[in-house]
Amino acid sequence: MKFNPTETAFITLDVQNGILNLVSPPEILVPTIARAVTKARSSGMHIIHVRIAFTSGQPELPDDLSFNPKHIGHMVKKLNTFIYGSKECDIHPDLLREGDTVIEKHRVSAFNNGTKLEMLLRNKGVRQLILCGVTTGGCVLSTVREAYDRDYGITVLSDACVDTDEEVNRVLLEKVIAGQANVITVDEFIKENE
């Protein structure tokens, strides 16, 4: 699929130091994503990096998380991590360039009410999203679902997504996400947009 660059946003999700090191050695995933970002950038697409970040003391999180033992806030509060300005929040340096947009979020989806993503996309006239990131079962899936409900065209780069469980990654990309998005490889994306 050939993309109209002025109507397309290439979005990396949680490709930041603190998360990359938890699920995949950066030297495996980052070069693949970097090839795709480079192509998107040279094509004139909007480049957006979405990362998870919190203010010191995490006022963005509920004080009482006992109602949800799987809430991300447990780890964030316990480790006092993903604080604005910390190395955990940095987008991998092989991906970020001057002129790229960085958006912070406080929950799993890039469309969480606290982000500027929707406003930015609408103001730029974006209709098509190309997504990749960490993790497939977290931010990628959540963002695909919300983008679909907001009537965006969606493409997910399968080999530029990773999850902690390879089988979960495969099933999500082949069965679940493929029901709402075009799923292609980075090589296919590059070839189709030469």
Coordinates of all heavy atoms in Angstrom, one line a residue, residues 98-145:
E98 N 15.6 15.6 15.3 CA 15.0 16.9 15.4 C 13.8 17.0 14.4 O 13.9 16.6 13.3 CB 16.1 18.0 15.1 CG 15.6 19.4 15.4 CD 16.7 20.4 15.3 OE1 17.9 20.0 15.6 OE2 16.4 21.5 15.0
G99 N 12.8 17.6 14.9 CA 11.6 17.7 14.1 C 10.5 16.7 14.3 O 9.4 16.8 14.0
D100 N 10.9 15.5 15.0 CA 10.0 14.5 15.4 C 9.1 15.0 16.5 O 9.6 15.9 17.3 CB 10.7 13.2 15.8 CG 11.4 12.5 14.7 OD1 11.3 12.9 13.5 OD2 12.1 11.5 15.0
T101 N 7.9 14.5 16.7 CA 7.1 14.9 17.8 C 7.1 13.8 18.8 O 7.1 12.6 18.5 CB 5.6 15.0 17.3 OG1 5.6 16.1 16.3 CG2 4.7 15.4 18.4
V102 N 7.3 14.2 20.1 CA 7.2 13.2 21.2 C 6.0 13.5 22.1 O 5.8 14.7 22.4 CB 8.5 13.3 22.0 CG1 8.4 12.3 23.2 CG2 9.7 13.0 21.2
I103 N 5.2 12.5 22.3 CA 4.0 12.6 23.1 C 4.1 11.7 24.3 O 4.5 10.6 24.2 CB 2.7 12.3 22.3 CG1 2.6 13.4 21.2 CG2 1.5 12.2 23.2 CD1 1.4 13.1 20.3
E104 N 3.8 12.2 25.5 CA 3.7 11.4 26.7 C 2.3 10.9 27.0 O 1.4 11.6 26.7 CB 4.2 12.2 27.9 CG 5.7 12.5 28.0 CD 6.2 13.6 27.1 OE1 5.4 14.5 26.8 OE2 7.4 13.6 26.8
K105 N 2.3 9.7 27.5 CA 1.1 9.1 28.0 C 1.2 8.5 29.4 O 2.4 8.3 29.8 CB 0.6 8.0 27.0 CG 1.5 6.8 26.9 CD 1.1 5.8 25.8 CE 2.0 4.7 25.7 NZ 1.7 3.6 26.6
H106 N 0.1 8.3 30.0 CA 0.1 7.8 31.4 C -0.6 6.4 31.5 O -0.7 5.9 32.6 CB -0.5 8.8 32.4 CG 0.0 10.2 32.2 ND1 1.3 10.5 32.3 CD2 -0.7 11.3 31.9 CE1 1.5 11.8 32.2 NE2 0.3 12.3 31.9
R107 N -1.0 5.9 30.4 CA -1.7 4.6 30.4 C -1.2 3.8 29.2 O -0.3 4.3 28.5 CB -3.2 4.8 30.4 CG -3.8 5.4 31.6 CD -3.6 4.6 32.9 NE -4.3 5.1 34.1 CZ -3.8 6.1 34.9 NH1 -2.7 6.7 34.6 NH2 -4.5 6.4 35.9
V108 N -1.9 2.8 28.9 CA -1.4 1.9 27.8 C -1.6 2.4 26.4 O -0.6 2.5 25.6 CB -2.0 0.5 27.9 CG1 -1.6 -0.5 26.9 CG2 -1.8 -0.1 29.3
S109 N -2.7 2.9 26.1 CA -3.0 3.4 24.7 C -2.4 4.8 24.5 O -2.4 5.6 25.3 CB -4.5 3.5 24.5 OG -4.8 4.1 23.3
A110 N -2.0 5.0 23.2 CA -1.5 6.3 22.8 C -2.6 7.3 22.8 O -2.3 8.5 22.8 CB -0.8 6.2 21.5
F111 N -3.8 6.9 22.7 CA -5.0 7.8 22.6 C -5.5 8.1 24.0 O -6.6 8.7 24.1 CB -6.1 7.2 21.8 CG -5.8 7.3 20.3 CD1 -5.3 6.2 19.6 CD2 -6.0 8.5 19.6 CE1 -5.1 6.3 18.2 CE2 -5.7 8.6 18.3 CZ -5.2 7.5 17.6
N112 N -4.9 7.7 25.1 CA -5.4 8.0 26.4 C -5.7 9.4 26.5 O -5.1 10.3 25.9 CB -4.3 7.6 27.4 CG -4.7 7.9 28.8 OD1 -4.4 8.9 29.4 ND2 -5.5 7.0 29.4
N113 N -6.8 9.7 27.3 CA -7.3 11.1 27.3 C -6.3 12.1 27.7 O -6.4 13.3 27.4 CB -8.4 11.2 28.4 CG -9.7 10.4 27.9 OD1 -9.9 10.3 26.7 ND2 -10.5 10.0 28.8
G114 N -5.2 11.7 28.3 CA -4.2 12.7 28.7 C -3.2 13.0 27.6 O -2.3 13.9 27.8
T115 N -3.3 12.4 26.4 CA -2.3 12.7 25.4 C -2.8 13.7 24.4 O -4.0 14.0 24.3 CB -1.9 11.4 24.6 OG1 -3.0 11.1 23.7 CG2 -1.5 10.3 25.5
K116 N -1.9 14.3 23.6 CA -2.3 15.3 22.6 C -2.4 14.6 21.2 O -2.5 15.3 20.2 CB -1.2 16.3 22.5 CG -1.0 17.1 23.8 CD 0.2 18.0 23.7 CE 0.6 18.5 25.1 NZ 1.9 19.2 25.1
L117 N -2.3 13.3 21.2 CA -2.3 12.6 19.9 C -3.4 12.9 19.0 O -3.3 13.3 17.8 CB -2.1 11.1 20.1 CG -1.9 10.3 18.8 CD1 -0.7 10.7 18.0 CD2 -1.9 8.8 19.2
E118 N -4.6 12.8 19.5 CA -5.8 13.0 18.7 C -5.9 14.4 18.1 O -6.1 14.6 16.9 CB -7.1 12.7 19.5 CG -8.4 12.9 18.7 CD -8.8 11.8 17.8 OE1 -8.2 10.7 17.9 OE2 -9.7 12.0 17.0
M119 N -5.6 15.4 18.9 CA -5.6 16.8 18.4 C -4.5 17.0 17.4 O -4.8 17.6 16.3 CB -5.4 17.7 19.6 CG -5.3 19.2 19.2 SD -5.0 20.3 20.6 CE -3.4 19.8 21.2
L120 N -3.3 16.4 17.6 CA -2.3 16.6 16.6 C -2.6 15.9 15.3 O -2.4 16.5 14.2 CB -1.0 16.0 17.2 CG 0.2 15.9 16.3 CD1 0.8 17.3 16.1 CD2 1.3 15.0 16.7
L121 N -3.1 14.7 15.3 CA -3.5 14.0 14.1 C -4.6 14.8 13.3 O -4.5 14.9 12.1 CB -3.9 12.6 14.4 CG -2.9 11.7 15.0 CD1 -3.5 10.3 15.4 CD2 -1.7 11.4 14.1
R122 N -5.6 15.2 14.0 CA -6.7 15.9 13.3 C -6.2 17.3 12.7 O -6.5 17.6 11.6 CB -7.8 16.2 14.3 CG -8.5 15.0 14.8 CD -9.3 14.2 13.7 NE -9.9 13.0 14.3 CZ -10.2 11.9 13.6 NH1 -9.9 11.9 12.3 NH2 -10.7 10.9 14.2
N123 N -5.3 18.0 13.5 CA -4.8 19.3 13.0 C -3.9 19.1 11.8 O -3.8 20.0 11.0 CB -4.1 20.0 14.1 CG -5.0 20.5 15.2 OD1 -6.3 20.6 15.0 ND2 -4.5 20.9 16.3
K124 N -3.3 18.0 11.7 CA -2.3 17.8 10.6 C -3.1 17.1 9.4 O -2.5 16.9 8.3 CB -1.2 16.9 11.0 CG -0.3 17.4 12.1 CD 0.6 18.4 11.5 CE 1.6 18.9 12.6 NZ 2.5 20.0 12.2
G125 N -4.3 16.8 9.6 CA -5.1 16.1 8.5 C -4.7 14.7 8.3 O -4.9 14.1 7.2
V126 N -4.2 14.0 9.3 CA -3.8 12.6 9.2 C -5.0 11.7 9.2 O -5.9 11.8 10.0 CB -2.8 12.3 10.4 CG1 -2.6 10.8 10.5 CG2 -1.5 13.0 10.3
R127 N -5.0 10.7 8.3 CA -6.1 9.8 8.2 C -5.5 8.3 8.3 O -6.3 7.4 8.5 CB -6.8 10.0 6.8 CG -7.4 11.3 6.7 CD -8.0 11.6 5.4 NE -9.0 10.6 5.1 CZ -9.5 10.3 3.9 NH1 -9.0 11.0 2.9 NH2 -10.4 9.4 3.7
Q128 N -4.2 8.2 8.1 CA -3.6 6.8 8.1 C -2.5 6.8 9.1 O -1.7 7.7 9.2 CB -3.0 6.6 6.7 CG -2.4 5.2 6.5 CD -3.4 4.1 6.4 OE1 -4.5 4.2 5.9 NE2 -3.0 3.0 7.0
L129 N -2.5 5.7 9.9 CA -1.5 5.5 10.9 C -0.7 4.3 10.6 O -1.2 3.2 10.2 CB -2.1 5.3 12.3 CG -3.1 6.4 12.8 CD1 -3.6 6.0 14.1 CD2 -2.5 7.8 12.7
I130 N 0.7 4.4 10.8 CA 1.5 3.2 10.7 C 2.1 3.1 12.1 O 2.7 4.0 12.7 CB 2.7 3.5 9.7 CG1 2.1 3.7 8.3 CG2 3.6 2.3 9.7 CD1 3.1 4.2 7.3
L131 N 1.9 1.9 12.7 CA 2.3 1.7 14.1 C 3.3 0.6 14.3 O 3.3 -0.4 13.5 CB 1.0 1.3 14.9 CG -0.2 2.2 14.9 CD1 -1.3 1.6 15.6 CD2 0.2 3.5 15.4
C132 N 4.2 0.8 15.2 CA 5.1 -0.3 15.7 C 5.5 0.0 17.1 O 5.3 1.1 17.6 CB 6.3 -0.3 14.8 SG 7.3 1.2 14.9
G133 N 6.0 -1.0 17.8 CA 6.4 -0.7 19.2 C 6.4 -1.9 20.1 O 6.3 -3.1 19.7
V134 N 6.5 -1.6 21.4 CA 6.7 -2.5 22.5 C 5.6 -2.2 23.5 O 5.5 -1.1 24.0 CB 8.0 -2.3 23.1 CG1 8.3 -3.3 24.2 CG2 9.2 -2.3 22.1
T135 N 4.7 -3.0 23.9 CA 4.5 -4.4 23.5 C 3.3 -4.6 22.6 O 2.4 -3.8 22.7 CB 4.4 -5.4 24.7 OG1 3.2 -5.0 25.4 CG2 5.5 -5.2 25.7
T136 N 3.3 -5.7 21.9 CA 2.2 -5.9 21.0 C 0.9 -6.1 21.8 O -0.2 -5.6 21.4 CB 2.4 -7.2 20.1 OG1 3.7 -7.1 19.5 CG2 1.4 -7.4 19.0
G137 N 0.9 -6.8 22.9 CA -0.3 -7.0 23.7 C -0.7 -5.9 24.6 O -1.7 -5.9 25.2
G138 N 0.2 -4.8 24.6 CA -0.1 -3.7 25.4 C -0.4 -2.5 24.6 O -1.5 -2.4 24.0
C139 N 0.5 -1.6 24.4 CA 0.3 -0.3 23.7 C -0.1 -0.5 22.2 O -0.9 0.2 21.7 CB 1.5 0.6 23.8 SG 3.0 0.0 23.1
V140 N 0.5 -1.5 21.5 CA 0.1 -1.7 20.1 C -1.4 -2.1 20.0 O -2.1 -1.4 19.2 CB 1.0 -2.7 19.4 CG1 0.6 -2.9 18.0 CG2 2.5 -2.2 19.5
L141 N -1.8 -3.1 20.7 CA -3.1 -3.6 20.6 C -4.1 -2.5 21.0 O -5.1 -2.2 20.4 CB -3.3 -4.8 21.4 CG -4.8 -5.4 21.5 CD1 -5.3 -5.8 20.1 CD2 -4.8 -6.6 22.5
S142 N -3.8 -1.8 22.2 CA -4.7 -0.8 22.7 C -4.9 0.4 21.7 O -5.9 0.9 21.5 CB -4.2 -0.3 24.0 OG -4.3 -1.3 25.0
T143 N -3.7 0.8 21.1 CA -3.8 1.9 20.2 C -4.5 1.5 18.9 O -5.2 2.3 18.3 CB -2.3 2.4 19.9 OG1 -1.7 2.8 21.2 CG2 -2.3 3.6 19.0
V144 N -4.3 0.3 18.4 CA -5.0 -0.2 17.2 C -6.5 -0.1 17.4 O -7.2 0.4 16.6 CB -4.6 -1.6 16.8 CG1 -5.6 -2.2 15.8 CG2 -3.2 -1.6 16.2
R145 N -6.9 -0.6 18.6 CA -8.4 -0.6 18.9 C -9.0 0.8 18.9 O -10.0 1.0 18.4 CB -8.6 -1.4 20.2 CG -8.3 -2.9 20.1 CD -9.5 -3.6 19.6 NE -9.3 -5.0 19.3 CZ -9.5 -6.0 20.0 NH1 -10.0 -5.9 21.2 NH2 -9.3 -7.2 19.6

